[in-house]
């Protein structure tokens, strides 16, 4: 199980980078390699855990969800390099969001892991936003999704992974409550603030290259 927080740490890294991509700080092709690296890692780790699990069905169940993210990052990395339309990754994100609700229930009911039950809800919300922005092309939510991605990178991946790796992951009930309340308050407030923020004036018409979302 020690491999899981290692993979989670780098999920934080790639989500952070993809959030910066969505808000326009990082170029798409520059973000592609890390998506491919982390995507490959998130396929190798669960494959190893499943093959070495023997009859441990709980470990197999825990590892199986990692493929959702591994395939997402590989899909994004390839799409950015090849200039693919985002509709495919958008609709795949809807599948991930729905399945993430199931993994949230699994963590609450089977693993009795309330913090990760809440964290899976974060991921379900985030991948729902990816579906709306990339699959349904609701570009007005791109910056909001980018900031949600950046926040999620730290509070659901990088920080929990570091705490798990250093044996400082404690007080699970308080962590779960803090994540649940904090997520609702922060994401709702962020949405209100960004809706009220003045829109930048439209640029003068000029030849341009269509931007790649990711």
């Amino acid at each position: 199980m020690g491999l899981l927080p290692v993979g989670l740490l780098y999920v934080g890294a790639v989500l952070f980078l993809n959030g910066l991509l969505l808000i326009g700080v990082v170029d798409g092709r520059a973000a592609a390699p890390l998506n491919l690296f982390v995507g490959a890692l998130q396929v190798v780790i669960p494959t190893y855990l499943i093959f070495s699990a023997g009859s441990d069905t709980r470990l197999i169940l825990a590892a199986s969800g990692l493929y959702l993210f591994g395939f997402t990052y590989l899909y994004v990395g390839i799409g950015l390099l090849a200039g693919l339309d985002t509709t495919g990754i958008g609709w795949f994100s809807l599948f991930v969001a729905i399945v993430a609700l199931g993994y949230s229930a699994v963590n609450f009911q089977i693993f009795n892991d309330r913090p990760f039950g809440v964290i899976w809800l974060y991921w379900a919300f985030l991948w729902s936003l990816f579906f709306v922005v990339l699959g349904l092309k609701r570009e007005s939510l791109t910056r909001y999704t980018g900031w949600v991605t950046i926040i999620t990178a730290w509070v659901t991946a990088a920080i929990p992974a570091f705490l798990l790796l250093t044996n400082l992951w404690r007080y699970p009930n308080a962590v779960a409550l803090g994540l649940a309340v904090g997520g609702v308050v922060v994401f709702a407030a962020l949405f209100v603030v960004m809706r009220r923020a003045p829109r930048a004036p439209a640029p003068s018409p000029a030849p341009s290259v269509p931007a790649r979302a990711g």
Side-chain angles (χ1 to χ4, degrees), residues 122-210:
Y122 270 73
W123 292 337
F125 176 61
L126 179 58
W127 262 255
S128 296
L129 289 175
F130 291 156
F131 163 64
V132 172
V133 171
L134 303 177
L136 300 182
K137 309 290 188 179
R138 299 291 196 271
E139 296 182 0
S140 61
L141 288 174
T142 299
R143 285 187 63 81
Y144 175 73
T145 302
W147 282 110
V148 171
T149 305
I150 290 169
I151 295 167
T152 301
W154 291 100
V155 301
T156 72
I159 294 173
F162 185 80
L163 293 175
L164 286 166
L165 288 168
T166 55
N167 292 318
L168 295 175
W169 183 253
R170 299 167 186 167
Y171 312 111
N173 290 335
V175 170
L177 180 61
L179 284 169
V181 175
V184 171
V185 171
V186 170
F187 293 153
L190 179 64
F191 182 78
V192 171
V193 168
M194 297 197 72
R195 285 293 296 269
R196 292 180 177 177
R199 295 178 181 272
S204 301
S208 62
V209 177

Side-chain angles (χ1 to χ4, degrees), residues 2-213:
L3 285 174
L4 294 178
V6 173
L8 188 62
L9 180 65
Y10 292 99
V11 165
V14 76
L15 283 176
F16 177 65
L17 190 67
N18 287 344
L20 294 176
L21 170 64
L22 287 168
I23 65 173
V25 174
V26 174
D27 175 73
R29 292 182 68 84
L34 186 61
N35 276 277
L36 295 175
F37 295 152
V38 177
L41 182 68
Q42 292 295 94
V43 170
V44 170
I45 286 178
T47 300
Y48 171 79
L49 291 174
I50 288 170
F51 273 98
S52 62
S55 59
D56 189 345
T57 56
R58 290 169 63 90
L59 178 55
I60 294 172
L61 178 60
S64 64
L66 300 182
Y67 287 114
L68 296 170
F69 307 112
F71 294 152
T72 296
Y73 305 132
L74 289 173
Y75 204 150
V76 169
I78 294 169
L80 290 171
L81 291 176
L84 301 178
D85 179 79
T86 62
T87 307
I89 186 62
W91 282 91
F92 176 66
S93 295
L94 175 62
F95 174 84
V96 174
I98 294 170
V99 175
L101 294 175
Y103 279 101
S104 174
V106 163
N107 277 271
F108 280 121
Q109 299 296 325
I110 297 178
F111 297 146
N112 194 28
D113 189 336
R114 293 177 182 176
F116 274 88
V118 176
I119 283 172
W120 274 98
L121 292 177
Y122 270 73
W123 292 337
F125 176 61
L126 179 58
W127 262 255
S128 296
L129 289 175
F130 291 156
F131 163 64
V132 172
V133 171
L134 303 177
L136 300 182
K137 309 290 188 179
R138 299 291 196 271
E139 296 182 0
S140 61
L141 288 174
T142 299
R143 285 187 63 81
Y144 175 73
T145 302
W147 282 110
V148 171
T149 305
I150 290 169
I151 295 167
T152 301
W154 291 100
V155 301
T156 72
I159 294 173
F162 185 80
L163 293 175
L164 286 166
L165 288 168
T166 55
N167 292 318
L168 295 175
W169 183 253
R170 299 167 186 167
Y171 312 111
N173 290 335
V175 170
L177 180 61
L179 284 169
V181 175
V184 171
V185 171
V186 170
F187 293 153
L190 179 64
F191 182 78
V192 171
V193 168
M194 297 197 72
R195 285 293 296 269
R196 292 180 177 177
R199 295 178 181 272
S204 301
S208 62
V209 177
R212 295 192 181 100

